[in-house]
Amino acid sequence: MRGTRILLAFLLATAMAACVTDKKSTSDDDPRNLDAQGDVDAGSDAPDVLQGDTDFNPDDPRCVLIPSVAGDVFVNAEGSVALGAYVYSTETGSAIENQLLGFEVVEDNSAGAHLSTSNAFSDSDGLGEFSLVAGLEAGRIVIEVSTSCSEPIEIEVDAVALPSGDLRVRFNYPFQSTYNVAPVDAQLFLMDSIDCNDLDPGEDPHGEFLSGSTGSVNGQVVFERLATGQDFTIVAIGYGAFGERAAWGCDDGIETSASITTDVEIDMILLPLDPVGVYDVVSHWDFREALRQAGGPGAIIAQIADIFEDPGRGLYDLIIDVLESQFGGLIAGLVDTVLDLFGLDDTIADAINNVIDSVPFLSDLVTIGQDITQVVTNLELLQEWEIGKLLNDFSVYGRETVTGVALYWRLGCGPLDPPDCGRLPIEWDPDGIGTLAGDWTGFVIGYNGLTIDPHPIDFNYGILILYVLENLLLPAITGMPAPVTLLQVAQQLIGCPGIGDFFSGGNNDCLISDSSIISSITGCICDAETTCNARPGCSDCVGIENVCNGFVNTIFGPLITGIIGGLDIPSVITASGECDLINNDDDLEVEVLANGELRGTLNFGGTPAPFTADFSGTRQ
């Protein structure tokens, strides 16, 4: 309704842009007498607050001025009223922002009328505002509004002496424990220009006649000397920690009574943050417990991850598991209990870790193992989340799509390097692994909380692990073209020929065994079997390089690849969770998804097991 009035006024003014002068008629039966306690400077002369030229340039008639108030304007003698003008482009019809407007009293029959400012820039709605304080007597006041791109217009105000009363505005805000708001503004409008049905919750209508502010919802705002016989609308706005409009209320049909103060209480609602938008999200998924409970290959991978994460504790637990398999759970449990009672389990674990830390080769091997098993313990997915609204402001839907994966190769990173040392962000290849996405619904709760309902995500976790290793992580750290197998990397890193040379004493050399030292070997120990075969007198020969290659081929070839490949079965994730919604500016749009947590189950062939994930995101 209000927008229609402004549009009609704009069309009329555009048609008369060459000779615009807005004249107001007065009416004694429509008194409008407005004032707000402490809101307008009562000094005799308001200083210029801005510098610039507001004289009309006839060579640049590109805009038109529209008064911010429609109809006759009345103010009580010595009262004040908020006025202004909108500036619109004559070419596009849209509001012009940051246009300098000048204000001047060109006629005053009230003996001492003055303005709060002589100029102002237009805001995003094209509105430049000022306040008029009437003089001591009744009379006609004319204010000229000018700008460089339009003919000036005049706003007429009649100062009258009529019966008046006060309004004392209080606020009912039952959500203070959820989210406190301060300060709180109260805006006063004439109801025939704006009523509550014209406004959406949270809307700041602008163009108020008077306004006041209080430091909290427990305070009050008093509007003094308001004309009787007039209906008013009051809009209350509470501001949050970042200056955003966080609470809102409206009441209309409010009247004053002569010479008394009327109390008004505005019910205020907590406005929900708006999470609608697209976010770049980083999530970390820990599937270790899910794989452990799934049994079979999954349990083996979880145990390998445990060993690499804490070698001492992992190997200790592995020893206990071997004892249990060999001698039964009773004996293994007894040994574990005794060692734990005397703190020897930690001593053993610490001793193993100290040995590993003191040997660079073993320390590097652990680092490599941690990086390889990150696809189980801390898989970092790069995602795009699209969030929209469903039935109301509190009900939302979302779609999460994986756009990449971030892997880490920390070999060579030191303790003082930043946490992202060795990070390798890699774009997702849907042709190689398929699209990994999920759709969900949720709710905005408690002002700044988002809950995510349980939802399924279909994908094959075994294929994901092998694909990430062979097509993303290993090619990135070796420089070899994809796919790169674990066997190829192990052969490159371990270097069996060099180990053979080290034990045999040099290239193409052998160490002749002494039966008093190595009674089980009656032949030679050489760097490789080819050297053995060419060496006279070595009927029985051990080639160190060949033994090393056999170990590498067995461990990093069919064993680990076969274990991982054993997870190549259909799997389904069911996840739910929550996060905090963070707004960092003066609107209600969410900028950050923070402290996100997901919980759910990973189902391997009918065996559900729990998993956890964390996430955070920023608006694109």
Side-chain angles (χ1 to χ4, degrees):
M1 183 182 299
R2 174 171 168 261
T4 303
R5 296 191 188 106
I6 293 175
L7 177 60
L8 291 174
F10 167 71
L11 293 175
L12 178 60
T14 301
M16 303 177 64
C19 55
V20 116
T21 301
D22 193 75
K23 299 291 185 181
K24 307 296 183 191
S25 61
T26 60
S27 173
D28 293 337
D29 60 356
D30 186 18
R32 306 176 186 188
N33 171 23
L34 307 172
D35 191 18
Q37 183 178 24
D39 191 59
V40 177
D41 183 4
S44 60
D45 293 304
D48 289 346
V49 296
L50 300 170
Q51 299 297 324
D53 184 11
T54 60
D55 293 335
F56 174 55
N57 179 4
D59 296 327
D60 186 28
R62 56 183 176 84
C63 70
V64 61
L65 292 170
I66 307 294
S68 64
V69 290
D72 303 326
V73 182
F74 293 86
V75 63
N76 200 22
E78 298 185 88
S80 65
V81 60
L83 301 169
Y86 292 93
V87 54
Y88 290 96
S89 169
T90 56
E91 298 176 354
T92 65
S94 58
I96 299 178
E97 187 176 4
N98 294 325
Q99 178 71 24
L100 186 62
L101 278 64
F103 315 117
E104 180 183 3
V105 176
V106 295
E107 181 181 339
D108 177 21
N109 297 305
S110 70
H114 59 274
L115 306 178
S116 61
T117 182
S118 60
N119 47 30
F121 283 113
S122 59
D123 61 16
S124 59
D125 293 323
L127 175 63
E129 295 180 284
F130 64 95
S131 294
L132 165 68
V133 178
L136 300 174
E137 302 175 0
R140 180 169 174 263
I141 306 168
V142 179
I143 303 101
E144 181 182 85
V145 180
S146 59
T147 190
S148 62
C149 60
S150 171
E151 290 275 7
I153 62 171
E154 292 182 352
I155 299 176
E156 293 183 4
V157 179
D158 284 313
V160 294
L162 294 173
S164 65
D166 299 344
L167 284 180
R168 180 166 50 219
V169 183
R170 295 186 174 95
F171 310 95
N172 175 34
Y173 178 67
F175 308 98
Q176 196 164 2
S177 61
T178 301
Y179 190 67
N180 186 42
V181 293
V184 180
D185 290 348
Q187 301 175 351
L188 187 70
F189 301 86
L190 297 176
M191 188 175 170
D192 60 1
S193 62
I194 288 179
D195 61 40
C196 294
N197 291 328
D198 293 333
L199 305 174
D200 294 324
E203 183 178 351
D204 186 350
H206 297 294
E208 67 274 10
F209 271 88
L210 293 172
S211 65
S213 183
T214 180
S216 74
V217 292
N218 299 318
Q220 62 186 27
V221 174
V222 177
F223 296 108
E224 295 182 333
R225 291 178 292 177
L226 301 176
T228 59
Q230 173 65 55
D231 290 337
F232 297 101
T233 297
I234 297 177
V235 175
I237 299 176
Y239 297 91
F242 298 97
E244 78 277 16
R245 296 192 299 273
W248 186 89
C250 183
D251 196 5
D252 54 25
I254 301 169
E255 296 181 350
T256 59
S257 299
S259 304
I260 66 172
T261 298
T262 302
D263 288 312
V264 179
E265 186 174 74
I266 307 296
D267 293 326
M268 300 183 69
I269 62 172
L270 179 61
L271 299 171
L273 289 179
D274 184 6
V276 173
V278 181
Y279 299 81
D280 292 320
V281 174
V282 177
S283 57
H284 301 91
W285 302 70
D286 187 349
F287 294 108
R288 183 169 21 189
E289 194 60 33
L291 294 175
R292 195 189 321 278
Q293 294 193 22
I300 296 174
I301 290 179
Q303 191 169 50
I304 292 173
D306 289 340
I307 291 174
F308 280 120
E309 183 173 65
D310 186 348
R313 174 56 59 179
L315 291 173
Y316 172 84
D317 292 340
L318 181 61
I319 293 171
I320 296 299
D321 290 343
V322 171
L323 288 176
E324 182 176 356
S325 64
Q326 293 292 324
F327 302 105
L330 181 61
I331 294 178
L334 180 61
V335 172
D336 188 26
T337 301
V338 172
L339 293 176
D340 180 61
L341 182 63
F342 292 97
L344 296 177
D345 56 340
D346 292 334
T347 301
I348 294 172
D350 291 342
I352 295 173
N353 286 332
N354 290 336
V355 171
I356 291 174
D357 291 340
S358 64
V359 180
F361 171 75
L362 294 178
S363 180
D364 289 346
L365 191 61
V366 169
T367 300
I368 293 170
Q370 290 174 345
D371 290 339
I372 290 176
T373 57
Q374 69 186 273
V375 294
V376 174
T377 62
N378 193 38
L379 179 62
E380 183 173 312
L381 293 180
L382 310 179
Q383 299 175 284
E384 183 177 271
W385 282 29
E386 182 179 357
I387 300 178
K389 287 186 180 179
L390 287 176
L391 301 177
N392 53 53
D393 286 338
F394 302 94
S395 179
V396 298
Y397 70 88
R399 179 170 180 80
E400 52 187 284
T401 304
V402 175
T403 60
V405 60
L407 304 170
Y408 291 81
W409 188 249
R410 294 187 177 90
L411 189 62
C413 293
L416 300 180
D417 288 321
D420 61 351
C421 177
R423 188 173 185 265
L424 304 169
I426 303 171
E427 186 176 350
W428 192 260
D429 179 13
D431 295 331
I433 190 61
T435 300
L436 181 55
D439 298 304
W440 49 266
T441 57
F443 291 90
V444 177
I445 61 172
Y447 178 67
N448 61 343
L450 173 65
T451 63
I452 299 172
D453 298 330
H455 60 284
I457 304 174
D458 295 323
F459 79 109
N460 191 309
Y461 187 56
I463 290 180
L464 173 64
I465 293 177
L466 283 176
Y467 179 84
V468 167
L469 287 176
E470 296 184 351
N471 293 274
L472 302 180
L473 177 61
L474 300 183
I477 62 181
T478 63
M480 301 168 62
V484 177
T485 65
L486 285 170
L487 175 58
Q488 292 172 289
V489 175
Q491 289 172 339
Q492 186 182 82
L493 291 175
I494 294 176
C496 288
I499 294 177
D501 293 342
F502 173 79
F503 277 99
S504 64
N507 187 27
N508 298 324
D509 202 357
C510 293
L511 175 65
I512 306 298
S513 64
D514 186 335
S515 60
S516 65
I517 299 175
I518 309 177
S519 59
S520 62
I521 299 179
T522 58
C524 305
I525 300 177
C526 301
D527 62 340
E529 289 184 3
T530 54
T531 305
C532 291
N533 297 333
R535 188 71 174 253
C538 291
S539 56
D540 295 324
C541 184
V542 176
I544 299 299
E545 179 182 342
N546 298 83
V547 173
C548 177
N549 282 331
F551 172 79
V552 171
N553 292 342
T554 300
I555 297 300
F556 290 92
L559 180 59
I560 289 184
T561 304
I563 290 172
I564 296 176
L567 294 177
D568 188 7
I569 56 177
S571 51
V572 176
I573 281 182
T574 300
S576 62
E578 64 278 329
C579 72
D580 295 331
L581 305 175
I582 305 298
N583 170 48
N584 292 328
D585 53 31
D586 60 358
D587 59 25
L588 288 172
E589 285 190 350
V590 173
E591 278 77 46
V592 178
L593 308 177
N595 305 316
E597 293 185 1
L598 292 175
R599 297 166 299 277
T601 57
L602 178 62
N603 193 318
F604 280 113
T607 305
F611 79 93
T612 59
D614 64 74
F615 67 90
S616 61
T618 55
R619 179 183 290 271
Q620 289 185 358

